[in-house]
Amino acid sequence: MSLVSIRLPEDVETRLAHEAARTQRPKSEIAREAIVEYLGRIERERFLAEIARAARDRGDTEALSVAAEALQTDNEALALSEQRVDEPKTPYRTRKRKTRR
């Protein structure tokens, strides 16, 4: 797994630290999960936009309505996923570092 360093505004870092403490999860795990969800959402939106663009170019009203319906369903699913109830703790283990002598 690669390492990425980011700078966060202080208020965002405070919110992240609060969520980490509340859920007893590492900040990196929460950030990683949020990035994966964001990228998935952006990819879905881009894919649906490409379908809509192709349908408009062809004058395919049926494909356009399917794309619009899929986007609505996708947005509803996203809204539901954001209404999480406290999830069970994810086990987190760190490796012990070897000390040099």
Side-chain angles (χ1 to χ4, degrees):
M1 196 178 300
S2 64
L3 176 67
V4 175
S5 177
I6 61 171
R7 294 181 191 274
L8 295 173
E10 208 165 306
D11 64 318
V12 174
E13 198 284 328
T14 300
R15 290 169 55 202
L16 178 59
H18 177 70
E19 182 64 18
R22 190 179 73 76
T23 59
Q24 296 182 346
R25 294 171 35 199
K27 292 188 288 187
S28 61
E29 183 179 325
I30 295 168
R32 184 173 37 255
E33 195 175 279
I35 291 168
V36 168
E37 286 179 21
Y38 170 79
L39 293 174
R41 186 177 72 240
I42 293 301
E43 290 166 357
R44 283 189 305 275
E45 289 173 1
R46 189 173 293 129
F47 176 71
L48 291 172
E50 288 174 15
I51 291 173
R53 190 175 314 116
R56 262 194 306 280
D57 291 346
R58 285 192 325 213
D60 189 343
T61 56
E62 183 180 346
L64 254 173
S65 66
V66 168
E69 185 179 317
L71 183 58
Q72 179 64 29
T73 303
D74 199 44
N75 287 340
E76 289 172 7
L78 180 62
L80 287 172
S81 73
E82 290 172 349
Q83 298 174 0
R84 291 186 206 177
V85 179
D86 287 334
E87 298 175 357
K89 285 196 291 185
T90 303
Y92 184 77
R93 296 184 182 127
T94 58
R95 286 185 261 162
K96 292 182 180 179
R97 293 186 180 191
K98 294 180 183 177
T99 54
R100 293 184 187 184
R101 294 182 185 196

